[in-house]
């Protein structure tokens, strides 16, 4: 069977000129798409001279690319088995579910990645992260738990921010207790989320020990997870540090809901209320507001609870954001990273040039990001970071 590969030569040439290894790897990847037994590259006459001047780079790319092609042709990409819509809790009779992705490469146990989707706490569900979950399971050989949680507009627009966090805490507890049934290693668990999911990820890291049976009802404003292991109280989980994880990836996250509320998050000017088909209101209902109850808003803002390593060592974190992101701008991520570094917590930070928001979501979206184009470089970095952090042998 013969198939043809047409290469964008100006783009290819620009990749050859850059010293960035990422660009070189993905130039080669272009040769791997759509080819089987034979590959034909059509080069416009206008660019032949460019290729002649860069014959060494071209030769290396062709040789390595075609070798990878034929190696891949000998065996299909590893399969991934997906267990859909597993219910882990039902707070106030609202079913909470997750999807579990399991690599089919024959290993007895795999490290685990737990994903929390974004959407301003008002839109989307875990399906928006299907592409990421599949890629991590297939290329990184991780068992992936792709999570749902309640949105603010759920249950007749009555869900509060602390309840969302309690769903997230409960989901992680369920995963750690049950993931071995799906070949996941509960001693090697990483968490990640993008945008609102990035906020929820950092809440696990910074507030995952503030667990109380009365939740937000008391003056200390604790959290009661929506799921608790049988026979365990929230206080016992806190004492055991039951929400501890081994690594975290924070993707263009939000860190300060106190400042967000003061800036108009709870007003109709925040278009996510419209997207979520919900009337704008307070994050904790209309009985509370950011001016009279700042402690509530700060209690759900991880930026105010970054510990020093001498007080509590956090796991390694990889924080990243796009340079053109105006929804969760780089300066916000930089502030969080600066606090981590000041506390001597392990962190890696990267700003991806010319990327906007939501580049890890499926397909193409409102922010102008497309997974197939904009997620390649970040996904490579994420998988490498997870492999390194969870002491998993890197794939050749």
């Amino acid at each position: 069977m013969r198939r043809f590969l047409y290469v964008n030569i100006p783009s290819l040439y620009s990749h050859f000129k850059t010293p960035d290894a990422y660009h070189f790897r993905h130039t080669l990847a272009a040769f791997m798409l759509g080819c089987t037994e034979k590959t034909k590259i059509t080069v416009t006459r206008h660019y032949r001279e460019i290729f002649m001047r860069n014959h060494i780079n071209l030769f290396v790319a062709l040789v390595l690319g075609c070798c990878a092609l034929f190696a891949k042709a000998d065996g299909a990409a590893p399969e991934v088995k997906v267990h859909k819509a597993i219910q882990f809790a039902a707070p106030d009779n609202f079913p909470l579910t997750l999807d579990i992705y399991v690599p089919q490469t024959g290993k007895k146990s795999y490290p685990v990645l737990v994903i929390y989707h974004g959407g301003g706490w008002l839109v989307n569900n875990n399906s928006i992260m299907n592409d990421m979950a599949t890629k991590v399971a297939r290329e990184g050989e991780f068992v992936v738990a792709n999570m749902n949680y309640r949105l603010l507009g759920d249950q007749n627009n009555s869900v509060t921010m602390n309840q969302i966090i309690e769903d997230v805490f409960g989901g992680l507890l369920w995963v750690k207790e049950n993931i071995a049934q799906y070949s996941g290693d509960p001693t090697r668990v990483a968490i990640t989320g993008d945008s609102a999911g990035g906020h929820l990820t950092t809440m696990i890291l910074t507030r995952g020990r503030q667990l109380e049976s009365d939740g937000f009802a008391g003056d200390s404003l604790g959290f009661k997870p929506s799921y608790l292991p049988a026979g365990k109280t929230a206080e016992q989980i806190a004492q055991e540090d039951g929400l501890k994880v081994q690594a975290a990836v924070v993707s263009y996250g939000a860190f300060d809901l106190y400042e967000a509320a003061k800036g108009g998050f709870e007003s109709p000017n925040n278009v996510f209320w419209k997207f979520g088909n919900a009337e704008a209101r307070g994050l904790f209902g209309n009985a509370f507001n950011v001016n009279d109850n700042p402690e509530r808003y700060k209690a759900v803002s991880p930026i105010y609870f970054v510990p020093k390593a001498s007080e509590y060592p956090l796991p390694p974190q990889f924080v990243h954001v796009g340079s053109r992101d105006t929804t969760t701008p780089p300066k916000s991520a930089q502030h969080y990273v600066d606090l981590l570094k000041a506390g001597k917590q392990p962190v890696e930070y990267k700003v991806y040039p010319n990327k906007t928001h939501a580049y890890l979501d499926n397909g193409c979206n409102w922010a102008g990001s497309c997974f197939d184009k904009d997620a390649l470089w970040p996904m490579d970095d994420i998988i490498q970071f997870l492999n390194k952090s969870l002491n998993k042998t890197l794939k050749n």
Side-chain angles (χ1 to χ4, degrees):
M1 176 179 174
R2 177 178 296 180
R3 298 172 66 180
F4 297 98
L5 176 67
Y6 296 91
V7 181
N8 184 325
I9 299 306
S11 175
L12 185 61
Y13 179 56
S14 68
H15 286 345
F16 282 148
K17 293 174 65 177
T18 177
D20 195 320
Y22 159 80
H23 288 124
F24 185 74
R25 289 199 305 273
H26 288 288
T27 297
L28 298 183
F31 286 90
M32 303 177 192
L33 297 176
C35 291
T36 54
E37 295 178 1
K38 294 186 178 181
T39 300
K40 177 179 179 181
I41 303 172
T42 55
V43 182
T44 60
R45 180 177 300 176
H46 180 72
Y47 291 100
R48 284 178 183 164
E49 186 178 349
I50 291 176
F51 268 179
M52 292 300 293
R53 290 199 305 267
N54 293 273
H55 58 280
I56 295 177
N57 282 334
L58 176 61
F59 176 76
V60 172
L62 283 171
V63 170
L64 295 180
C66 288
C67 287
L69 274 174
F70 293 122
K72 187 174 181 180
D74 290 337
E79 292 296 322
V80 174
K81 184 175 182 179
V82 184
H83 303 266
K84 300 289 288 185
I86 302 167
Q87 184 171 314
F88 67 86
D92 299 323
N93 296 317
F94 189 95
L96 295 174
T97 64
L98 74 156
D99 300 335
I100 298 179
Y101 295 66
V102 183
Q104 301 297 289
T105 52
K107 296 181 180 179
K108 292 183 178 179
S109 183
Y110 300 89
V112 179
L113 178 66
V114 183
I115 300 178
Y116 301 99
H117 70 83
W121 308 273
L122 276 159
V123 297
N124 295 333
N125 57 41
N126 65 343
S127 67
I128 198 70
M129 309 308 294
N130 284 350
D131 287 350
M132 179 183 184
T134 301
K135 191 174 183 69
V136 171
R138 176 170 290 139
E139 298 183 12
E141 287 192 278
F142 282 75
V143 169
V144 179
N146 191 10
M147 311 298 294
N148 278 312
Y149 52 86
R150 281 177 289 181
L151 303 175
L152 290 169
D154 287 334
Q155 296 175 310
N156 297 317
N157 199 21
S158 68
V159 175
T160 57
M161 185 58 68
N162 57 294
Q163 290 176 321
I164 292 176
I165 293 164
E166 290 171 343
D167 292 348
V168 166
F169 287 2
L172 179 57
L173 290 174
W174 187 95
V175 168
K176 295 182 73 172
E177 184 180 27
N178 293 277
I179 203 64
Q181 300 176 32
Y182 302 89
S183 302
D185 182 353
T187 68
R188 291 188 294 161
V189 176
I191 55 176
T192 188
D194 73 323
S195 197
H199 160 261
L200 298 172
T201 296
T202 51
M203 282 298 295
I204 292 171
L205 300 175
T206 61
R207 303 289 278 156
R209 294 160 301 285
Q210 189 68 23
L211 306 180
E212 301 175 1
S213 293
D214 63 353
F216 240 50
D219 293 336
S220 53
L221 300 177
F223 303 92
K224 182 181 180 181
S226 298
Y227 171 85
L228 288 167
K232 294 290 184 71
T233 65
E235 287 80 5
Q236 287 173 322
I237 296 295
Q239 187 175 7
E240 297 168 1
D241 202 4
L243 288 171
K244 183 178 180 179
V245 295
Q246 284 65 59
V249 177
V250 184
S251 307
Y252 40 90
F255 305 97
D256 194 341
L257 295 190
Y258 170 66
E259 289 295 337
K262 291 202 300 181
F265 181 91
E266 299 168 311
S267 78
N269 292 330
N270 174 11
V271 296
F272 279 94
W273 291 103
K274 182 178 180 179
F275 293 161
N277 196 28
E279 183 179 351
R281 60 170 178 84
L283 295 178
F284 304 98
N286 291 323
F288 303 96
N289 65 77
V290 67
N291 294 319
D292 296 333
N293 311 101
E295 70 284 353
R296 285 181 170 262
Y297 293 80
K298 290 184 177 181
V300 297
S301 300
I303 203 72
Y304 300 103
F305 298 96
V306 178
K308 296 180 180 178
S310 58
E311 300 168 351
Y312 182 84
L314 295 175
Q317 296 181 61
F318 174 42
V319 180
H320 63 99
V321 66
S323 67
R324 295 170 52 207
D325 193 332
T326 58
T327 305
T328 52
K331 67 178 181 181
S332 176
Q334 182 70 64
H335 180 38
Y336 177 66
V337 169
D338 288 344
L339 290 175
L340 290 171
K341 290 182 176 179
K344 301 188 183 306
Q345 301 282 12
V347 61
E348 299 177 23
Y349 179 50
K350 181 170 284 188
V351 179
Y352 291 104
N354 299 317
K355 295 193 186 299
T356 58
H357 195 69
Y359 46 79
L360 296 181
D361 290 358
N362 294 344
C364 298
N365 56 46
W366 58 271
S369 297
C370 295
F371 185 89
D372 288 343
K373 173 175 65 75
D374 295 298
L376 294 178
W377 185 3
M379 285 302 306
D380 270 6
D381 290 342
I382 289 169
I383 290 173
Q384 289 182 23
F385 169 80
L386 293 173
N387 277 318
K388 176 179 61 177
S389 300
L390 299 182
N391 298 316
K392 179 174 178 286
T393 302
L394 290 174
K395 297 174 67 177
N396 292 328

